[in-house]
C-alpha cells in the first residue's frame, strides 16, 4: 500500500524527544525506557516513526503497510524464493503493531511488512496542538545502494511499484542512477539512489505547505538547531516538492517535504532527468553540500543486530560538478 | 481510479474563457467553435474540464477514469443489469479521449467511463505560466440527489469506493445525509448530498496551498468577479480542506480546494458528523449563504439532450439552523 | 508619534488570559491581581495592551506615544484651551510607564499621552515562543463618534495627523463618513467612523502575514472560540489589509491586521471611497454582519470611572444596503 | 524622509526589461531610447528604479526624498561646508522629477535629494496585474565603503538618521563594521558595510510576504534565471527580514526583502551583532557565497561620468570564517 513507518536509532532519548517532539512537532503516542513511538498530525495509527535507544545512530527497520494479512504470506514466499532471511513477529511484539513479516532483503535492507496497526486519535483538527514542523505523516524512504537498476526492477516487477521519475547517467548508454517509485499515487513511497550501501539516506515526512517549512526553520534556528539544517529550504526539480533536510542530534537525516503531485494514472510515463542537470536536485540552483552525498544511515542486520556491511557503487555516487566534494 | 473530467455547459465561450483561463488560470489544451478543453497545471492529459456552448448552463457529463479497457466492459454489464441506458463512444468522439462508455445511471446522472486520454505537456514546472487560481487538477464531484443512502451503498459496494466521512441527521435512527467517497486515496472523488436531484452541486479543483486561494480571491475581486465568490475562503470541517466556492458567469459552481489528507489505508473508519454541527461546513463558523443550498447545476439526459427531471428529497436538504433560508 | 497602548476592561482575568495569551499569543510582561500587561512579539516596551478587571467590559483609556516629555506640556496647553479635563500621572502610576498626561478629550474619549515606557525583551527572533495569532504590535485604534468631520479636522490640524483614506456619503455635498489618520507612516494610527459614540470600535493588532491569520483562525476554532470570529478572514478595500475581527470572551473587539502600506510621503493624497461601495469594507464582497455595526466598546470617564454617555450620529451609521440590519 | 529611487546602469535595455518587468513584476511608468522608469505596486510616484543604458553596469545615482523644497537648500549648504561638489537639476531634467540637488558626497557616492515627483496610478489593488516578484516599493540602499564609522556618524548626526542595528568587530575595542540607519521608521533606509568602496552593494525592494519571494524564485528558475539567484531565500539575523538576493543580466545586485519591523520610537537602542556570529547574516545558518562579499556596483562621478576610484578598507571586509573565500 505505502511506506508505513521507520525505526531510527538514537543515542539519547531525551535529546531526541526535544528535537522530534518539542521542536518538530511529532505527536508522542507511547514510550517506554528504550522507545518513543511518534505519529504525525494526519496519522490515525500508532506510529510512523520509532526512536529506539542504541549505542550508534542508524536505522533499525523500514516498514511497508500491505492491504491484507494474506499479502504477508505472498511476500514471505516471494522473499524466500530469493533466498532472503525471513522472520515473523507476533501482534504486540512491536508496540501497537499486528502480526508482521521481517525480511533482510536481497539488497541488505531490514524491511517489515504489516497489515494492522492500532488506531489512535486523529490530530488533524486539533490545531491548538499543532506545533513546530507540523509533520503530518511519513511520505517516503530514500535508500542508497550500489545497484539501483536491479533494485528498481525488483520493486517495479515483483512488488508492483509504479515509477514516476528517473535520473540517468550521461553515458552513451545511460544507466539508471536513481529512481522514484510509488505504491500510493504520489511522487514516491521509496527512492533509490546510487551510493555506498545498503544505507538509508533519509525518511521524508510530509507537511501541509511551504510556510510550515519556513516556520520550522525559524523555530529550529531559535532553538539552537542551526547546524541541524543541512540543505534548503528550497524547491526540488525531481518531485517538484519544497523541502528542508535536517540532521537530528545523532546525525540521522530526515526531510520535511511538501507540494509534490498525484500520480494516480496507470499510463504515467516516468519523468527522466540527467544526473548533471543542476536544476534536478535544486530547481533554484543552490549547491548541495558535500555532507548530503557523503553521509547516510547504516542499517541493522535483523539477526545479528550489527550493521550490514557496505559495498561501493560501480558508478559515481554524485554529479560531475560535485566529484571533488568528497 | 478517480474523478477524471467534467463537462460544463456555458452560454458564452468568450465570457467563459475570460473567467476560466484568464482569471482562474486553467490551461487551454484545445478548442473548436463550441468547446474549450481545459487542463490543470499538474495534468498530463488532454482535459479535466470541458466547456461546451449551450442554450442553458448545466452539466453535460461527469467522467471517471478506469484502469483498463476491460474494466469498461465490466461496467457496461453492471449498469445494464440495473436497467440503465448505456452507449459507447469511439476514440476521438470526444476530443482527446479514447473509447468510452456513457451511462445514464439509476440516479439520473450522465456518467462517462474511460481508460485512455491523449497525453499533454506537464505545466507543473513552468512556473512562469502559472496564473490566477493556479488550478492543478480536478479533485472531486459533489452531487445532489434525493436518496443519498442508496447511492452511497451503490458506490461503496458495486463500484468499490471507500467512504472517508459521513454526515448524519440527528434523528434517533440517523439517516446518511451526505457521504464523501473515494477511489484515489484522498478525502474524496465524489460527494453525495441530500437535495433535489439529480443535480451537480459543484466540481472541486485542487490548488497547491491556501495562498493560491487568497491570491485568486484578490484577482477575482480586481477583475470584476466580486459576485462570483459565493462562499469562503474558509476551512471546511468535513475534509479539513481550505476552500473558495465560485460561480462562473453562467452561475455554474466550482470549488477551489486544498489541504485535505491522504486516506490510503483499507481500515479507514469514516469520520461521522452531525448535520447541525455548525463547524461541519465551515470550521471557522461563518454562515453558508442560502444560494449555496438552493442552487445547483442540472444534468443532461444523454439521449434527449434535455435536462433530467428533478425529484425532491424525503429529508431536509439543509441544517435546521438554515431551514428558513430557502 | 504613534498609537501606543490601550486598556481593555474584562470581567474575568483568567478567561482573558486564556484568550489573549494562550490562544492569540500575546506576551505577558507583568501582572497583578487586577491587571495583565501584554506586549507583542515586535514590542521592545512594557505593554501595548492592558487588561483590567472590571464589572463591565469596555475601554479604560487609549494612549499615544509622543517624542519628548516637553510635547506633553504642549498637549496639556492645547487640550486645556479646548476646555478639556486634564490630569497628570507620575512615573509608575501605570505599571512600566513614565510620566503621562490623561485627557478626556472634547469628543469624550479617555486619552493618555506619554513619552517613556520601560524597555522589555524583544521576542521577534524567539521563534520558538511565537504562538497562535503571533501578534507583533499594536497598529491602530478605531473610534465611533457622531461627528467625524470635526474630529478629523482636530486630528489633522491640531495634532498633525496625515489622512490616508476617507469614506464619503453619497449626497450631493458629500460628508466625511469615516477617516483613516496616521502619525507613523502606515495606513493609520487612528480611524474615525460615524456612529453612536464616543465608543471604541476596535484596536487593530499587526501580524506578519496572511498565514498567521489563517493559522490563528484554525487555532481559535479548535479551542472553542468559533463564535469569537465575528468577521473575516478577508481583504479590506480601505487600507488594503488582510483582516480577522475577534470578540474576546467579554465581547470586546479587536482586529488582527496585516498587509497595509507605507505612506511616508508628505504629498499623499487621501484615497476616497463612497460609503455604499460594497468593496470598500470587504474587497472580496462578503457581507459584514450587523453586530459589526451595532456593537462597540464604551469608554470610561477618567474622573467618575463610569462610562461616558452616548450621543447618536446625525447621519446614518452604515451603508444603505445594511440599513435594515440593526 | 526616506530612500527614494536609484539608477542602475544596464548594457541592454531589452534584456533588462525582460528581467525587471516581465519576470520581477516592476511596473513600467515611462521609457525612452536610453531609460526605463519603473515603480512598484505600492508606489504612487513616477519611479523608484531607473534603468539607464550604458557601456558598463553600475549605479548612476541614489536618491533620497526630503519633506520640503527648503530642505534642499539646507542640504546644499551642509554638503558645500564639507567641500563636496554640488549641482542643481531643474524640474523634468530627470523624467517625472521636480527640482533636485545632486551631490558627490565626501564618501564618493553620487546622491540626489528631491522633494517632488510626479504622481502615478496606485497599482496596489490591481491584483490582476501583479506578477512575478510583486515588488511593492524601494526599501533601502546598501553601501560598501572603507570607513563605516565616519559615514555612520555623518548620517546620524548631520542627516538625522536613527540607527537600528550595528555589527561590530570582535576586537577588544570593537569597531563598527556595519550599521543599519533609517529615516522612515523601519529597519533601514541605508545600510553601510565595510568594504572596498565607494560601491553600492545592493538596493533592497520590498515584497508583501515570504510566499511572494518563493513564487518569484520558482518563476526565475523556470525563466532561465537560475544563476541570477545568488543567495537565499532565507531569513536574515540582522533586520529579521526574509530575503532573496538577485543579480540582473548585467550582474547588478538587488534584494527582495520582507518581514522586518517598525522602529518608530525615539528611544530605540541599536541591536548589536558580532561580525563572526554565523546567524547574523543568515539566521538559518546557510553559508553566504563569496561573490556576495566580492562583487558590488561601482558608482558614477557626477562630473566626469566615469566611475569613482576605489579605496581598500582598513579592516577586513568579511567574517573570519570567510577570509579564505576571496
Amino acid at each position: 500500500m505505502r511506506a508505513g513507518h521507520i525505526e531510527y536509532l538514537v543515542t539519547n532519548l531525551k535529546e531526541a524527544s526535544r528535537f522530534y517532539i518539542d521542536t518538530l512537532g511529532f505527536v508522542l503516542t507511547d514510550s517506554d525506557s528504550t522507545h518513543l513511538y511518534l505519529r504525525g498530525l494526519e496519522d490515525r495509527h500508532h506510529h510512523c516513526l520509532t526512536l529506539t535507544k542504541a549505542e550508534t545512530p542508524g536505522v533499525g527497520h523500514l516498514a511497508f503497510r500491505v492491504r491484507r494479512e494474506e499479502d504477508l504470506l505472498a511476500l514471505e514466499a516471494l522473499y524466500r524464493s530469493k533466498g532472503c532471511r525471513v522472520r515473523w513477529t507476533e501482534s504486540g511484539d512491536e508496540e501497537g503493531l499486528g502480526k508482521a513479516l521481517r525480511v533482510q532483503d536481497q539488497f541488505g535492507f531490514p524491511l517489515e511488512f504489516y497489515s494492522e496497526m492500532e488506531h489512535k486519535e486523529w490530530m488533524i483538527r486539533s490545531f491548538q496542538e499543532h506545533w513546530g514542523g507540523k509533520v503530518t505523516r511519513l511520505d517516503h524512504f530514500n535508500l542508497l545502494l550500489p545497484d539501483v537498476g536491479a533494485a528498481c526492477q525488483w520493486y517495479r516487477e515483483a512488488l508492483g511499484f509504479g515509477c514516476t521519475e528517473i535520473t540517468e547517467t550521461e553515458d552513451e548508454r545511460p544507466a539508471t542512477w536513481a529512481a522514484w517509485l510509488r505504491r500510493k499515487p504520489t511522487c514516491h513511497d521509496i527512492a533509490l539512489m546510487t551510493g555506498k550501501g545498503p544505507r538509508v539516506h533519509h525518511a521524508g515526512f510530509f507537511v501541509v505547505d511551504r510556510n510550515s517549512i519556513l516556520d520550522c526553520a525559524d523555530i529550529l534556528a531559535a532553538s539552537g538547531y542551526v547546524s541541524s539544517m543541512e540543505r534548503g529550504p528550497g524547491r526540488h526539480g525531481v518531485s517538484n516538492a519544497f523541502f528542508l533536510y535536517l540532521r537530528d542530534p545523532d546525525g540521522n537525516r530526515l526531510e520535511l517535504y511538501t507540494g509534490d503531485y498525484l500520480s494516480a494514472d496507470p499510463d504515467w510515463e516516468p519523468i527522466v532527468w540527467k544526473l548533471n542537470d543542476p536544476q534536478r536536485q535544486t530547481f533554484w540552483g543552490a549547491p548541495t553540500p558535500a555532507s548530503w552525498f557523503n553521509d547516510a544511515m547504516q542499517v541493522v542486520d535483523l539477526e545479528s543486530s550489527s550493521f550490514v556491511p557496505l559495498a561501493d557503487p560501480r558508478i559515481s555516487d554524485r554529479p560531475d560538478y560535485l566529484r571533488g566534494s568528497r
Side-chain angles (χ1 to χ4, degrees), chain A:
Chain A
M1 295 297 298
R2 62 173 179 89
H5 64 269
I6 189 166
E7 180 190 20
Y8 276 17
L9 309 179
V10 300
T11 60
N12 184 321
L13 281 179
K14 206 170 148 190
E15 278 302 308
S17 168
R18 186 178 166 248
F19 183 76
Y20 285 100
I21 301 173
D22 301 349
T23 311
L24 294 187
F26 278 91
V27 180
L28 178 65
T29 297
D30 238 328
S31 67
D32 59 34
S33 62
T34 53
H35 297 89
L36 298 173
Y37 299 95
L38 307 178
R39 68 188 197 280
L41 301 172
E42 195 179 303
D43 284 320
R44 298 181 79 190
H45 292 94
H46 191 274
H47 59 272
C48 68
L49 174 63
T50 304
L51 303 175
T52 298
K53 182 153 175 45
E55 293 297 305
T56 321
V59 167
H61 70 278
L62 315 156
F64 291 96
R65 177 158 187 150
V66 300
R67 188 178 298 270
R68 290 171 299 258
E69 202 175 313
E70 51 263 45
D71 298 329
L72 299 177
L73 295 171
L75 284 161
E76 180 190 18
L78 183 67
Y79 277 105
R80 281 201 194 281
S81 78
K82 300 296 290 186
C84 298
R85 284 173 287 138
V86 163
R87 152 163 94 76
W88 290 93
T89 61
E90 288 312 304
S91 176
D93 284 0
E94 181 175 328
E95 192 71 33
L97 198 72
K99 189 179 173 183
L101 178 73
R102 293 212 168 186
V103 177
Q104 200 86 34
D105 83 353
Q106 63 269 47
F107 309 104
F109 290 96
L111 304 183
E112 182 176 73
F113 298 93
Y114 65 104
S115 63
E116 272 178 39
M117 189 183 260
E118 201 178 312
H119 288 218
K120 287 289 167 187
E121 191 194 352
W122 205 34
M123 305 298 288
I124 200 170
R125 277 197 295 272
S126 302
F127 291 101
Q128 80 282 16
E129 305 190 27
H130 294 196
W131 176 246
K134 298 183 183 173
V135 170
T136 56
R137 57 174 173 78
L138 174 65
D139 187 78
H140 63 266
F141 307 130
N142 185 305
L143 310 184
L144 285 172
L145 70 176
D147 186 352
V148 164
C152 181
Q153 191 180 5
W154 170 258
Y155 276 95
R156 295 183 74 168
E157 296 176 7
L159 299 182
F161 280 67
C163 179
T164 53
E165 307 202 28
I166 276 176
T167 299
E168 292 179 346
T169 59
E170 317 231 354
D171 308 314
E172 212 171 311
R173 297 176 54 185
T176 300
W177 186 86
W180 284 257
L181 302 162
R182 62 108 188 157
R183 288 288 308 183
K184 72 179 180 314
T186 61
C187 175
H188 60 323
D189 285 288
I190 189 164
L192 307 171
M193 301 199 308
T194 297
K196 186 184 287 192
R199 291 186 298 168
V200 175
H201 188 271
H202 67 266
F205 292 91
F206 203 80
V207 300
V208 164
D209 60 14
R210 301 178 304 184
N211 276 282
S212 303
I213 288 180
L214 301 182
D215 288 345
C216 188
D218 282 336
I219 292 170
L220 285 161
S223 304
Y225 290 119
V226 172
S227 60
S228 292
M229 290 184 278
E230 185 183 32
R231 180 182 159 207
R235 166 85 64 194
H236 282 308
V238 172
S239 83
N240 198 51
F242 192 79
F243 68 88
L244 175 63
Y245 286 98
L246 302 176
R247 306 292 292 266
D248 78 6
D250 281 304
N252 295 311
R253 185 186 288 110
L254 68 160
E255 182 185 19
L256 302 183
Y257 177 95
T258 191
D260 61 348
Y261 48 82
L262 278 198
S263 62
D265 292 331
D267 58 347
W268 180 277
E269 310 238 323
I271 313 292
V272 180
W273 295 84
K274 287 296 176 187
L275 178 56
N276 291 327
D277 180 342
Q279 289 192 279
R280 183 186 70 90
Q281 282 214 307
T282 308
F283 190 60
W284 301 341
T288 300
S291 66
W292 194 90
F293 283 99
N294 294 338
D295 303 349
M297 298 174 276
Q298 288 196 258
V299 297
V300 164
D301 182 301
L302 290 171
E303 226 157 289
S304 71
S305 295
S306 59
F307 285 131
V308 175
L310 303 180
D312 280 327
R314 290 166 310 179
I315 58 175
S316 172
D317 66 350
R318 64 198 67 191
D320 291 350
Y321 56 84
L322 283 168
R323 280 209 185 165
S325 68
R326 201 171 305 250

